[in-house]
PDB file of all heavy atoms in Angstrom:
ATOM      1  N   THR A  94      60.482 100.009 101.468  1.00  0.00           N
ATOM      2  CA  THR A  94      60.868  98.597 101.358  1.00  0.00           C
ATOM      3  C   THR A  94      62.334  98.366 101.690  1.00  0.00           C
ATOM      4  O   THR A  94      62.753  97.214 101.784  1.00  0.00           O
ATOM      5  CB  THR A  94      60.604  98.079  99.933  1.00  0.00           C
ATOM      6  OG1 THR A  94      61.373  98.871  98.993  1.00  0.00           O
ATOM      7  CG2 THR A  94      59.140  98.164  99.587  1.00  0.00           C
ATOM      8  N   ARG A  95      63.093  99.405 101.866  1.00  0.00           N
ATOM      9  CA  ARG A  95      64.535  99.214 102.063  1.00  0.00           C
ATOM     10  C   ARG A  95      64.857  98.558 103.402  1.00  0.00           C
ATOM     11  O   ARG A  95      65.953  98.047 103.593  1.00  0.00           O
ATOM     12  CB  ARG A  95      65.264 100.554 101.916  1.00  0.00           C
ATOM     13  CG  ARG A  95      65.379 100.979 100.451  1.00  0.00           C
ATOM     14  CD  ARG A  95      66.040 102.346 100.297  1.00  0.00           C
ATOM     15  NE  ARG A  95      66.356 102.615  98.899  1.00  0.00           N
ATOM     16  CZ  ARG A  95      65.484 103.031  98.002  1.00  0.00           C
ATOM     17  NH1 ARG A  95      64.210 103.217  98.360  1.00  0.00           N
ATOM     18  NH2 ARG A  95      65.835 103.265  96.748  1.00  0.00           N
ATOM     19  N   ASP A  96      63.910  98.584 104.335  1.00  0.00           N
ATOM     20  CA  ASP A  96      64.094  97.888 105.612  1.00  0.00           C
ATOM     21  C   ASP A  96      63.257  96.620 105.694  1.00  0.00           C
ATOM     22  O   ASP A  96      63.240  95.948 106.729  1.00  0.00           O
ATOM     23  CB  ASP A  96      63.734  98.815 106.778  1.00  0.00           C
ATOM     24  CG  ASP A  96      64.657 100.019 106.880  1.00  0.00           C
ATOM     25  OD1 ASP A  96      65.858  99.849 106.598  1.00  0.00           O
ATOM     26  OD2 ASP A  96      64.178 101.111 107.224  1.00  0.00           O
ATOM     27  N   TYR A  97      62.580  96.311 104.606  1.00  0.00           N
ATOM     28  CA  TYR A  97      61.659  95.175 104.603  1.00  0.00           C
ATOM     29  C   TYR A  97      62.388  93.896 104.180  1.00  0.00           C
ATOM     30  O   TYR A  97      63.149  93.884 103.206  1.00  0.00           O
ATOM     31  CB  TYR A  97      60.507  95.464 103.637  1.00  0.00           C
ATOM     32  CG  TYR A  97      59.569  94.296 103.401  1.00  0.00           C
ATOM     33  CD1 TYR A  97      58.818  93.767 104.433  1.00  0.00           C
ATOM     34  CD2 TYR A  97      59.441  93.740 102.125  1.00  0.00           C
ATOM     35  CE1 TYR A  97      57.964  92.694 104.219  1.00  0.00           C
ATOM     36  CE2 TYR A  97      58.581  92.677 101.898  1.00  0.00           C
ATOM     37  CZ  TYR A  97      57.857  92.158 102.942  1.00  0.00           C
ATOM     38  OH  TYR A  97      57.008  91.103 102.718  1.00  0.00           O
ATOM     39  N   GLU A  98      62.151  92.809 104.933  1.00  0.00           N
ATOM     40  CA  GLU A  98      62.729  91.509 104.604  1.00  0.00           C
ATOM     41  C   GLU A  98      61.635  90.630 104.010  1.00  0.00           C
ATOM     42  O   GLU A  98      60.797  90.087 104.743  1.00  0.00           O
ATOM     43  CB  GLU A  98      63.336  90.861 105.853  1.00  0.00           C
ATOM     44  CG  GLU A  98      64.510  91.643 106.427  1.00  0.00           C
ATOM     45  CD  GLU A  98      65.176  90.919 107.588  1.00  0.00           C
ATOM     46  OE1 GLU A  98      64.655  89.848 108.001  1.00  0.00           O
ATOM     47  OE2 GLU A  98      66.217  91.416 108.063  1.00  0.00           O
ATOM     48  N   PRO A  99      61.609  90.503 102.680  1.00  0.00           N
ATOM     49  CA  PRO A  99      60.532  89.745 102.025  1.00  0.00           C
ATOM     50  C   PRO A  99      60.617  88.252 102.340  1.00  0.00           C
ATOM     51  O   PRO A  99      61.698  87.721 102.633  1.00  0.00           O
ATOM     52  CB  PRO A  99      60.768  90.011 100.540  1.00  0.00           C
ATOM     53  CG  PRO A  99      62.241  90.275 100.440  1.00  0.00           C
ATOM     54  CD  PRO A  99      62.603  90.997 101.705  1.00  0.00           C
ATOM     55  N   THR A 100      59.484  87.595 102.249  1.00  0.00           N
ATOM     56  CA  THR A 100      59.430  86.147 102.504  1.00  0.00           C
ATOM     57  C   THR A 100      59.001  85.355 101.277  1.00  0.00           C
ATOM     58  O   THR A 100      59.154  84.132 101.255  1.00  0.00           O
ATOM     59  CB  THR A 100      58.440  85.849 103.649  1.00  0.00           C
ATOM     60  OG1 THR A 100      57.140  86.373 103.304  1.00  0.00           O
ATOM     61  CG2 THR A 100      58.917  86.492 104.951  1.00  0.00           C
ATOM     62  N   HIS A 101      58.438  86.037 100.250  1.00  0.00           N
ATOM     63  CA  HIS A 101      57.931  85.331  99.079  1.00  0.00           C
ATOM     64  C   HIS A 101      58.320  86.078  97.796  1.00  0.00           C
ATOM     65  O   HIS A 101      58.399  87.304  97.776  1.00  0.00           O
ATOM     66  CB  HIS A 101      56.394  85.218  99.135  1.00  0.00           C
ATOM     67  CG  HIS A 101      55.898  84.307 100.206  1.00  0.00           C
ATOM     68  ND1 HIS A 101      55.857  84.688 101.539  1.00  0.00           N
ATOM     69  CD2 HIS A 101      55.423  83.029 100.145  1.00  0.00           C
ATOM     70  CE1 HIS A 101      55.378  83.681 102.262  1.00  0.00           C
ATOM     71  NE2 HIS A 101      55.111  82.663 101.448  1.00  0.00           N
ATOM     72  N   TRP A 102      58.580  85.278  96.757  1.00  0.00           N
ATOM     73  CA  TRP A 102      58.769  85.865  95.441  1.00  0.00           C
ATOM     74  C   TRP A 102      57.429  86.436  94.974  1.00  0.00           C
ATOM     75  O   TRP A 102      56.386  86.181  95.590  1.00  0.00           O
ATOM     76  CB  TRP A 102      59.282  84.823  94.440  1.00  0.00           C
ATOM     77  CG  TRP A 102      60.593  84.190  94.793  1.00  0.00           C
ATOM     78  CD1 TRP A 102      60.831  82.882  95.053  1.00  0.00           C
ATOM     79  CD2 TRP A 102      61.874  84.843  94.908  1.00  0.00           C
ATOM     80  NE1 TRP A 102      62.152  82.650  95.333  1.00  0.00           N
ATOM     81  CE2 TRP A 102      62.821  83.851  95.245  1.00  0.00           C
ATOM     82  CE3 TRP A 102      62.301  86.160  94.759  1.00  0.00           C
ATOM     83  CZ2 TRP A 102      64.169  84.137  95.435  1.00  0.00           C
ATOM     84  CZ3 TRP A 102      63.654  86.455  94.940  1.00  0.00           C
ATOM     85  CH2 TRP A 102      64.573  85.453  95.277  1.00  0.00           C
ATOM     86  N   TRP A 103      57.422  87.167  93.849  1.00  0.00           N
ATOM     87  CA  TRP A 103      56.225  87.878  93.395  1.00  0.00           C
ATOM     88  C   TRP A 103      55.038  86.950  93.142  1.00  0.00           C
ATOM     89  O   TRP A 103      53.884  87.355  93.272  1.00  0.00           O
ATOM     90  CB  TRP A 103      56.540  88.675  92.123  1.00  0.00           C
ATOM     91  CG  TRP A 103      56.888  87.818  90.929  1.00  0.00           C
ATOM     92  CD1 TRP A 103      58.134  87.419  90.540  1.00  0.00           C
ATOM     93  CD2 TRP A 103      55.981  87.242  90.001  1.00  0.00           C
ATOM     94  NE1 TRP A 103      58.070  86.624  89.428  1.00  0.00           N
ATOM     95  CE2 TRP A 103      56.743  86.502  89.062  1.00  0.00           C
ATOM     96  CE3 TRP A 103      54.595  87.268  89.838  1.00  0.00           C
ATOM     97  CZ2 TRP A 103      56.179  85.799  88.011  1.00  0.00           C
ATOM     98  CZ3 TRP A 103      54.033  86.572  88.774  1.00  0.00           C
ATOM     99  CH2 TRP A 103      54.816  85.849  87.872  1.00  0.00           C
ATOM    100  N   ASP A 104      55.305  85.666  92.785  1.00  0.00           N
ATOM    101  CA  ASP A 104      54.207  84.744  92.451  1.00  0.00           C
ATOM    102  C   ASP A 104      53.713  83.945  93.649  1.00  0.00           C
ATOM    103  O   ASP A 104      52.888  83.052  93.516  1.00  0.00           O
ATOM    104  CB  ASP A 104      54.644  83.788  91.342  1.00  0.00           C
ATOM    105  CG  ASP A 104      55.734  82.821  91.781  1.00  0.00           C
ATOM    106  OD1 ASP A 104      56.355  83.063  92.854  1.00  0.00           O
ATOM    107  OD2 ASP A 104      55.977  81.829  91.072  1.00  0.00           O
ATOM    108  N   GLY A 105      54.228  84.279  94.856  1.00  0.00           N
ATOM    109  CA  GLY A 105      53.790  83.583  96.062  1.00  0.00           C
ATOM    110  C   GLY A 105      54.689  82.443  96.488  1.00  0.00           C
ATOM    111  O   GLY A 105      54.495  81.865  97.564  1.00  0.00           O
TER     112      GLY A 105
END
Side-chain angles (χ1 to χ4, degrees):
T94 59
R95 284 177 170 80
D96 296 324
Y97 173 63
E98 296 185 355
T100 57
H101 291 77
W102 300 117
W103 65 268
D104 67 345

